[in-house]
Amino acid sequence: MAIGKEILNLANQHDGEKYVFGANVPFDNPNYKGPWDCAEFVSWIVYQITKVKIGIRGKEAYTGYWENDVSKYCKKISISEAALTYGAIVFRSPGFKGISIGHIAISDGKGGTIEAKSTNDGVCKSVIKGRQWEYGLLINNVQYEMNNAFVFDYNNPPFNFYVSSPIMKHKIVEETKEKLNKLNLFHGEINENYESEIAIAVSNFQKIKGIVVDAVLGKETLTLLKVKEYTNLEKNLMWFKNTFGDKLINSIKNTPFDIDLLTAIAYQETGYIWSRMINKTDINNLLLCCTGDTLDSPNRSAFPKNKTELLVYPQGNEMFIIGRQALKNVGDWDSTYKNLFEKNQSKFCRGYGIFQYDLQFFKHNPKYFLNKDWANFDKCLNLAIQELKSAQSRISTLKNKTTLTEKEKIFVAIAYNKGTADVNGSLKQGHKNSSSGKYYGELINDYYNVSKSL
């Protein structure tokens, strides 16, 4: 019986060989050394080990043929399972989620691949995470071994745009259109919509750059285009991890959390302000300005609903003065908050600290607010860890678990935001962002996965 590791080992022997889009290979020649296309590479490798021709018609292999052959020769598994299985296949069929070109690769059992990737990369070792896949495959009558020492959760890549219904929209797409227009590759309307015309332009740019041609606007294409909306996000997350990394690592000891979850939460909660302050002021001032949320009743139901409710509470006047100053501080960096401070003498901040701690807890923890502990990163971090632990305990199926999957961590973050989370539901939970249209859970998931990729 053929063995999955044999498929992987033979594929690895061809690392570094040439890629040519649409190349035809002699499947009966065991000494062939390229050039390869993605489907030809995997079909040739599989045939050498199993003597079964999958995804092949005549002298040509094609991902569309693989899709047709799956039910006869293979068993479908999840991408996460394939990532843990030596020699399994990760696959995307032509047309999946509007992506015209399919792709296929061999899993190394450690979250990576060996594949005929692109003109630039040739046959190379790459990664599964951060790319658009459809499902995994195990070939019938092949004995596979799983890497039980490895944990992998596959999520759809963050900030990957493709033609879909409803249309995907984002400022990243708008900036991409501007970039491609300047390169004379896109001539349509400059807006946030990712439709077929921009997909064609992205494909043409990918061909020019010699990378995977799939019409997907993702990390590699965005980086080559130097789209600031995306590359600045990477820089901001990297700054946070580099600046506070040691403290983050120490804080998560004996917890099921990781530094990427904390990074994602910090960016989601207050990245709108601290990202503007990097290298423009000192850390102490940056932390002091991480405040926000000025909503009054009827848009707010938690204490304090308005200035009046705060002032009648013990030490409320002292807190109001701090809240007004906090609004002025953040207003020094954000014009919206500046206008609120200048035009409405009743406005004050309700959210405090880089991880945001709501003023409703003033009743239970007044010293944290009055002593400005929220401007001290160590104290703010310790409180955030406590709040995450409490959020986890409020989800019955996750309570007392010492390890969490990546998706479970996102659900804990949702509970951190809204009190609880439905682990059987989607990530469309928590506060909905009015500009992006995404929910808290979706945004945390996006930022988490970008952080993990850095």
Side-chain angles (χ1 to χ4, degrees):
M1 178 180 286
I3 298 173
K5 278 190 173 180
E6 293 177 333
I7 294 174
L8 177 60
N9 290 339
L10 179 58
N12 281 328
Q13 292 174 27
H14 293 268
D15 188 11
E17 293 175 359
K18 188 177 181 180
Y19 171 98
V20 172
F21 180 73
N24 288 326
V25 309
F27 297 102
D28 294 321
N29 180 1
N31 299 312
Y32 184 70
K33 302 293 183 182
W36 309 93
D37 193 353
C38 68
E40 276 76 4
F41 179 70
V42 176
S43 291
W44 184 90
I45 295 292
V46 168
Y47 178 69
Q48 303 311 309
I49 299 301
T50 68
K51 300 306 176 187
V52 178
K53 289 187 175 182
I54 309 175
I56 301 170
R57 302 292 186 271
K59 296 181 180 180
E60 180 186 15
Y62 168 52
T63 50
Y65 299 152
W66 267 91
E67 183 182 22
N68 294 334
D69 287 349
V70 164
S71 60
K72 183 177 180 180
Y73 296 109
C74 307
K75 174 187 175 183
K76 286 185 181 180
I77 59 174
S78 70
I79 298 299
S80 295
E81 289 176 293
L84 303 174
T85 305
Y86 300 105
I89 290 168
V90 286
F91 182 73
R92 183 188 71 239
S93 62
F96 176 66
K97 290 194 172 181
I99 303 168
S100 59
I101 299 175
H103 195 62
I104 189 168
I106 296 170
S107 167
D108 68 1
K110 303 174 185 177
T113 64
I114 178 75
E115 60 187 281
K117 189 176 182 182
S118 66
T119 303
N120 279 4
D121 298 308
V123 176
C124 67
K125 294 177 181 178
S126 189
V127 296
I128 292 173
K129 191 176 289 292
R131 302 166 67 188
Q132 199 75 57
W133 303 102
E134 188 173 358
Y135 48 77
L137 293 171
L138 299 179
I139 298 168
N140 297 342
N141 301 316
V142 173
Q143 182 178 334
Y144 289 96
E145 179 184 343
M146 290 191 72
N147 181 2
N148 295 319
F150 185 62
V151 177
F152 187 95
D153 282 325
Y154 176 76
N155 294 300
N156 283 331
F159 304 107
N160 264 28
F161 301 94
Y162 44 83
V163 178
S164 66
S165 180
I167 293 174
M168 301 179 80
K169 299 180 180 182
H170 201 280
K171 290 181 180 178
I172 285 174
V173 176
E174 184 175 25
E175 188 181 344
T176 297
K177 287 183 175 182
E178 292 172 351
K179 295 274 188 180
L180 291 175
N181 177 263
K182 290 178 180 178
L183 293 172
N184 203 33
L185 292 173
F186 178 74
H187 306 286
E189 183 179 353
I190 305 295
N191 56 29
E192 297 185 354
N193 299 342
Y194 197 84
E195 70 287 278
S196 58
E197 190 171 358
I198 183 61
I200 293 169
V202 166
S203 292
N204 290 333
F205 177 78
Q206 292 169 334
K207 288 176 186 176
I208 292 169
K209 291 297 182 179
I211 61 175
V212 175
V213 180
D214 56 13
V216 176
L217 182 60
K219 177 181 174 66
E220 190 171 18
T221 305
L222 289 166
T223 301
L224 287 172
L225 278 169
K226 298 180 180 179
V227 174
K228 290 182 179 180
E229 186 77 22
Y230 181 80
T231 55
N232 283 347
L233 169 63
E234 290 190 316
K235 290 176 183 177
N236 293 332
L237 296 179
M238 201 69 245
W239 174 86
F240 184 85
K241 293 170 77 171
N242 287 338
T243 303
F244 303 113
D246 290 342
K247 293 180 178 182
L248 296 171
I249 290 170
N250 287 331
S251 74
I252 60 174
K253 289 179 179 177
N254 303 315
T255 79
F257 314 126
D258 58 33
I259 64 173
D260 296 299
L261 182 65
L262 290 167
T263 300
I265 291 172
Y267 190 80
Q268 165 62 16
E269 295 288 357
T270 56
Y272 69 92
I273 187 65
W274 57 256
S275 63
R276 305 178 187 184
M277 302 175 69
I278 294 172
N279 300 324
K280 296 178 182 178
T281 187
D282 59 50
I283 295 295
N284 290 333
N285 185 47
L286 181 147
L287 293 170
L288 189 68
C289 293
C290 286
T291 57
D293 185 2
T294 61
L295 292 178
D296 293 315
S297 176
N299 295 315
R300 180 182 174 89
S301 58
F303 171 88
K305 294 184 180 67
N306 49 40
K307 175 183 176 181
T308 301
E309 187 174 48
L310 178 60
L311 290 180
V312 299
Y313 196 81
Q315 296 183 284
N317 185 63
E318 185 179 349
M319 187 64 236
F320 176 74
I321 293 172
I322 292 173
R324 279 290 292 171
Q325 183 62 45
L327 180 57
K328 182 180 184 303
N329 292 339
V330 71
D332 289 341
W333 299 91
D334 185 283
S335 59
T336 300
Y337 286 104
K338 182 179 181 180
N339 289 335
L340 282 173
F341 177 81
E342 292 175 347
K343 295 179 180 180
N344 192 329
Q345 298 300 310
S346 295
K347 286 290 185 181
F348 60 101
C349 287
R350 303 322 208 286
Y352 291 85
I354 200 165
F355 297 102
Q356 288 289 272
Y357 191 57
D358 193 87
L359 193 57
Q360 64 181 295
F361 299 109
F362 180 70
K363 292 181 175 181
H364 311 290
N365 191 7
K367 289 184 179 180
Y368 183 80
F369 298 96
L370 296 174
N371 295 341
K372 299 182 183 178
D373 288 346
W374 42 270
N376 179 305
F377 186 81
D378 292 335
K379 292 182 179 180
C380 194
L381 176 59
N382 288 338
L383 184 58
I385 293 294
Q386 292 176 32
E387 289 296 302
L388 283 171
K389 288 178 179 178
S390 296
Q392 181 185 349
S393 69
R394 292 193 295 271
I395 304 173
S396 59
T397 56
L398 304 184
K399 187 176 182 179
N400 299 324
K401 289 188 71 171
T402 56
T403 59
L404 297 172
T405 66
E406 291 182 3
K407 192 170 185 179
E408 287 172 339
K409 291 172 189 174
I410 304 304
F411 283 125
V412 171
I414 291 170
Y416 175 92
N417 172 251
K418 68 183 289 281
T420 187
D422 176 10
V423 297
N424 296 314
S426 72
L427 298 180
K428 294 181 182 293
Q429 301 181 54
H431 175 73
K432 186 176 182 180
N433 184 283
S434 58
S435 60
S436 70
K438 286 192 173 186
Y439 289 81
Y440 188 91
E442 295 177 293
L443 290 168
I444 290 291
N445 187 58
D446 283 349
Y447 301 143
Y448 179 83
N449 281 298
V450 173
S451 181
K452 291 279 287 187
S453 73
L454 299 175

